[in-house]
Amino acid sequence: MTDTTGNQGGNPSGRPIRTFGRIGGRALSARQQALVDDLLPKLQVPEGLSDPQTLFPGLTETWLEIGFGGGEHLAEQARRNPDAGIIGCEPFIEGMAKALTQVNADGLSNVRLRMDDARPLVDGLAPGSLARVFIMFPDPWPKKRQQKRRLIQPDFLDSLHRACRKGARVRFATDVASYADEALWRFLQHGGYRWLAEGADDWRRPPADHVTTRYETKRLGDCAPVWCDFEII
């Protein structure tokens, strides 16, 4: 796997450039630590996963959320859509602990988790594995020198497109204007993603099935949230 800039020489180590910031935070409570120690191993997505349906026997399709933050969106989508198996990837341990708390409290059997970079998981999935993908407010890396770290890069879009089935839906949201412009351009340049917007309200207003998260309410970006829904073609 090359780095996500598409530039072979961009990272002398040969490892993909990290698209997320810190992974540690405040000390976990005893209850949270117990969930990380005991529940996470039971829900952990195994290394080398090819067919995600093996994680969800009897369910109709698999969804993926990349970078779920505190897990509010992930847990609510799982509650609303019990026939979909949902994989959530989040490298930040405090976010993982919060998500585990919700999954445990609500007895959500259709959630599996990965506390790591989502890109190797996506790379390893069999073609056509995913029916829906959420990329909600990924790390924007707003400074120009940092922007090579943004998740939405050509190599990633190639891998994601291959892992999604035809007609799958991909939702990208950001509250950083430069990232909104760049990501939309990259999706459209790829050629395999059809933007579903028909008017300005389609990207200015939250979609009907959106779940508001704690991050959104903080309004940390430099613009109102932008919502881009795409269909795999």
Side-chain angles (χ1 to χ4, degrees), residues 56 59 77-79 81-87 108-112:
F56 308 107
L59 299 188
Q77 291 291 354
R79 282 190 287 265
N81 300 280
D83 292 332
I86 303 181
I87 296 174
L108 299 174
S109 61
N110 60 330
V111 172
R112 297 294 182 270

Side-chain angles (χ1 to χ4, degrees), residues 5 9 39 45-46 103-104 119 139 156-157 167 173-174 206 212 217:
T5 65
L39 181 57
V45 174
V103 168
N104 184 61
R119 291 172 296 172
D139 197 319
F156 171 72
L157 292 180
T174 184
T212 302
T217 62

Side-chain angles (χ1 to χ4, degrees), residues 10 13 15 34 47 70 98 100 151 156 163 212 217:
S13 72
R15 294 190 298 272
E47 293 292 332
K98 290 176 180 176
L100 287 167
L151 176 65
F156 171 72
T212 302
T217 62

Side-chain angles (χ1 to χ4, degrees), residues 24-73:
R26 293 176 296 179
L28 302 181
S29 69
R31 176 60 175 157
Q32 288 177 325
Q33 188 63 58
L35 289 170
V36 170
D37 293 341
D38 300 333
L39 181 57
L40 180 57
K42 298 174 184 177
L43 301 181
Q44 186 77 264
V45 174
E47 293 292 332
L49 177 71
S50 175
D51 180 5
Q53 282 298 113
T54 61
L55 302 175
F56 308 107
L59 299 188
T60 57
E61 56 190 30
T62 302
W63 298 5
L64 172 66
E65 181 164 354
I66 298 175
F68 55 71
E72 305 101 325
H73 180 274

Side-chain angles (χ1 to χ4, degrees), residues 87-163:
I87 296 174
C89 292
E90 174 58 60
F92 185 32
I93 191 170
E94 189 175 356
M96 180 61 71
K98 290 176 180 176
L100 287 167
T101 299
Q102 295 180 76
V103 168
N104 184 61
D106 295 333
L108 299 174
S109 61
N110 60 330
V111 172
R112 297 294 182 270
L113 301 169
R114 179 184 178 97
M115 195 164 66
D116 200 355
D117 189 341
R119 291 172 296 172
L121 171 67
V122 173
D123 288 344
L125 293 178
S129 293
L130 301 173
R132 196 159 191 199
V133 179
F134 298 99
I135 308 170
M136 311 298 295
F137 303 96
D139 197 319
W141 298 105
K143 296 178 181 177
K144 192 169 183 63
R145 61 183 173 81
Q146 299 174 329
Q147 290 177 5
K148 64 185 178 181
R149 296 184 179 275
R150 288 176 169 174
L151 176 65
I152 306 302
Q153 303 286 352
D155 286 355
F156 171 72
L157 292 180
D158 285 344
S159 183
L160 184 65
H161 186 271
R162 180 196 54 76

Side-chain angles (χ1 to χ4, degrees), residues 172-174 180-181 184 195-207 224-229:
F172 172 83
T174 184
D181 291 341
L184 178 59
W195 190 25
L196 298 177
E198 296 180 349
D201 282 351
D202 291 330
W203 70 81
R204 290 176 179 169
R205 294 184 179 179
V226 174
W227 316 90
C228 293
D229 277 357

